[in-house]
Amino acid sequence: METKYLPQQCLAYLKKFCVEIPERCVGSDGNRTATRFFKREIATFGWETETQEFDAMDWEEGGAHLLSGDADFEVFVSPYALGCDVEAQLVSASSVDELAGLAMDGKILFLHGEIAKEQLMPKNFVFYNPEEHQRIISLLEKGGPQAIVCATGRNAALAGGVYPFPLIEDGDFDIPSVYMTEEEGGRLLPSANKTVTLRSISKRIAGKGENVIARKGKNSNERIVVTAHIDAKKGTPGAIDNATGVVVLLLLAKLLEDYEGERQVEIVAFNGEDYYAAPGQMLYVRENQERFHEILLNINIDGAGYKEGKSAFSFYDLPEEIKKKTNEVLHKFDGIIEGVPWFQGDHSIFIQNGRPAIAVSSEWFTNNVDSQEITHTPKDNPGIVDCHKIVEIAEALNMLVRS
């Protein structure tokens, strides 16, 4: 197959997903435009397509304003939070034990320090939800504050490169909240037990989202499932996270245009990895609950194509035969190495259901997952992508699937 035009095609797809479509957050018009384009495009390569629709929530905010006496503080509206306009006493907590003993009913609660070190998992998130996070959410809901102010630092592993990060990002949590930098939090702390005023403008918008699934091959009882999430955080072009993954899916679909193998290849554009409730992933799990045993292998692409370093393939519970074939393929490509394991991606769905997986990312990202300042920010744009690496990944996966 003629492949010399694939880098130009890669660039065109990136422009489509990151520039022509301004937002791909779940529930938005841009997200629906992206999934419709993906479905139309992959169908032109002869793939049978299916959509899985689900309810989703978009969100709009108009800023927030916090006052304590004559002091004005910079705060940001927490994603999917309800708005508020309240004046009340400010009370603070820096640990779970302090929170448990705090009288906060009708007050404005300030969370800072140890309790705000990492983003709280949404209350109904099932894939990863530590007991400590569940306890914090329970204490907040039982405590009844009118609003919450959070001072957070950096936590790239869980919140991406954004600073400060929203401690609470949960459309199922109904206490209004805002967040600020640690520096602003230090300024606010002396206002504890004083009356402060918080105004936050925020609106939830009901909408729809969908997964797009494409299939080729004869035997659906033996499936190779190749996945990438098509959504992105609001306010970011989402090039590495994760337009490049979706571009790999489209290039692979083109390379497999003539595929007629016995094993079915299923390409899935998941929708919701960067959304508080992971609705597309949850729906896929429900639809496949009795069929995970049919999946021979999952290959998930997320964070691929960064301009620095090589592409990294990491392995999870691969049977020896599949691992051997994978290594034979990867050794043919100079720009691909075996990378370190990481679990903050959709391959975890398959691992948790007992299926072997390969995660495809960028060596630089997997080595700097705790310190990078790119994902979930405007810095994640097509300028940081090397299209030749994206093409190389697609070519390697084409060879692997056929083997």
Side-chain angles (χ1 to χ4, degrees):
M1 172 178 288
E2 182 64 65
T3 61
K4 66 180 181 180
Y5 297 112
L6 291 182
Q8 294 95 312
Q9 185 63 71
C10 171
L11 190 59
Y13 284 147
L14 277 177
K15 181 180 178 182
K16 181 69 176 181
F17 287 116
C18 300
V19 179
E20 296 176 16
I21 300 173
E23 292 275 4
R24 299 197 313 279
C25 50
V26 180
S28 68
D29 289 338
N31 182 273
R32 289 185 286 271
T33 299
T35 52
R36 287 195 295 266
F37 172 80
F38 181 89
K39 182 179 180 181
R40 289 195 305 269
E41 190 71 6
I42 205 166
T44 66
F45 305 138
W47 291 70
E48 295 183 3
T49 62
E50 173 194 349
T51 56
Q52 296 178 326
E53 188 179 71
F54 52 82
D55 293 328
M57 183 191 299
D58 195 9
W59 160 74
E60 289 182 359
E61 57 98 357
H65 194 208
L66 177 64
L67 283 174
S68 175
D70 295 330
D72 194 347
F73 298 86
E74 184 178 33
V75 291
F76 308 95
V77 183
S78 299
Y80 305 101
L82 295 174
C84 66
D85 190 353
V86 297
E87 183 178 28
Q89 181 186 9
L90 183 74
V91 294
S92 71
S94 62
S95 69
V96 179
D97 288 341
E98 284 184 9
L99 183 67
L102 190 64
M104 64 186 100
D105 186 30
K107 301 174 183 179
I108 296 176
L109 172 64
F110 177 42
L111 298 177
H112 62 99
E114 182 66 19
I115 199 171
K117 69 183 183 299
E118 63 181 29
Q119 191 171 47
L120 298 175
M121 289 297 102
K123 58 186 289 187
N124 295 321
F125 194 71
V126 300
F127 297 119
Y128 169 73
N129 207 328
E131 288 185 8
E132 183 179 79
H133 291 202
Q134 296 176 47
R135 186 184 179 206
I136 292 171
I137 293 296
S138 177
L139 288 170
L140 293 174
E141 292 185 324
K142 290 177 181 177
Q146 291 195 68
I148 303 170
V149 180
C150 314
T152 62
R154 295 188 184 276
N155 192 323
L158 293 178
V162 64
Y163 175 73
F165 64 84
L167 184 67
I168 300 169
E169 185 170 342
D170 187 356
D172 295 322
F173 183 79
D174 290 337
I175 302 173
S177 68
V178 299
Y179 62 103
M180 57 170 41
T181 65
E182 288 180 312
E183 292 79 9
E184 285 292 274
R187 289 182 57 227
L188 179 64
L189 191 56
S191 295
N193 300 316
K194 297 179 181 178
T195 297
V196 301
T197 302
L198 174 64
R199 185 167 188 260
S200 175
I201 301 172
S202 183
K203 181 173 68 172
R204 295 171 177 174
I205 304 168
K208 297 286 185 180
E210 61 186 20
N211 296 328
V212 181
I213 302 174
R215 299 182 180 92
K216 263 185 179 290
K218 301 173 184 177
N219 186 2
S220 62
N221 293 322
E222 291 187 340
R223 287 182 285 156
I224 301 167
V225 182
V226 190
T227 57
H229 72 87
I230 197 168
D231 60 302
K233 285 283 189 184
K234 188 180 287 288
T236 172
I240 296 292
D241 187 20
N242 184 38
T244 53
V246 178
V247 173
V248 170
L249 297 186
L250 290 173
L251 297 183
L252 177 62
K254 174 64 176 175
L255 292 170
L256 289 170
E257 194 169 11
D258 64 342
Y259 179 79
E260 296 180 354
E262 289 298 322
R263 293 187 172 98
Q264 185 176 87
V265 180
E266 183 176 273
I267 289 178
V268 184
F270 275 131
N271 209 350
E273 200 268 354
D274 276 327
Y275 180 76
Y276 73 89
Q281 288 80 347
M282 292 286 292
L283 177 56
Y284 184 87
V285 169
R286 289 195 299 272
E287 293 290 324
N288 285 273
Q289 198 61 66
E290 306 300 323
R291 300 186 60 207
F292 271 100
H293 66 279
E294 302 170 355
I295 298 173
L296 301 177
L297 175 67
N298 166 243
I299 303 168
N300 183 54
I301 307 103
D302 197 348
Y306 187 62
K307 61 185 179 181
E308 295 182 24
K310 296 188 177 185
S311 299
F313 283 49
S314 52
F315 307 145
Y316 308 81
D317 303 322
L318 294 191
E320 197 57 41
E321 182 181 357
I322 293 179
K323 188 171 184 179
K324 180 181 177 182
K325 287 182 180 293
T326 302
N327 282 323
E328 289 174 356
V329 170
L330 298 190
H331 286 156
K332 300 179 187 296
F333 296 88
D334 293 336
I336 299 176
I337 62 168
E338 181 176 346
V340 297
W342 56 282
F343 296 91
Q344 303 96 320
D346 289 328
H347 49 291
S348 293
I349 295 170
F350 298 88
I351 299 168
Q352 290 171 7
N353 282 277
R355 307 320 302 152
I358 297 172
V360 182
S361 192
S362 299
E363 176 189 17
W364 187 92
F365 269 97
T366 56
N367 288 345
N368 295 279
V369 66
D370 293 328
S371 59
Q372 60 84 21
E373 299 178 7
I374 295 174
T375 58
H376 303 175
T377 79
K379 297 177 184 177
D380 187 9
N381 60 67
I384 66 173
V385 176
D386 184 341
C387 281
H388 293 282
K389 293 179 181 178
I390 299 301
V391 172
E392 185 178 48
I393 291 169
E395 290 175 333
L397 294 183
N398 173 49
M399 189 177 297
L400 177 59
V401 167
R402 292 180 187 273
S403 70

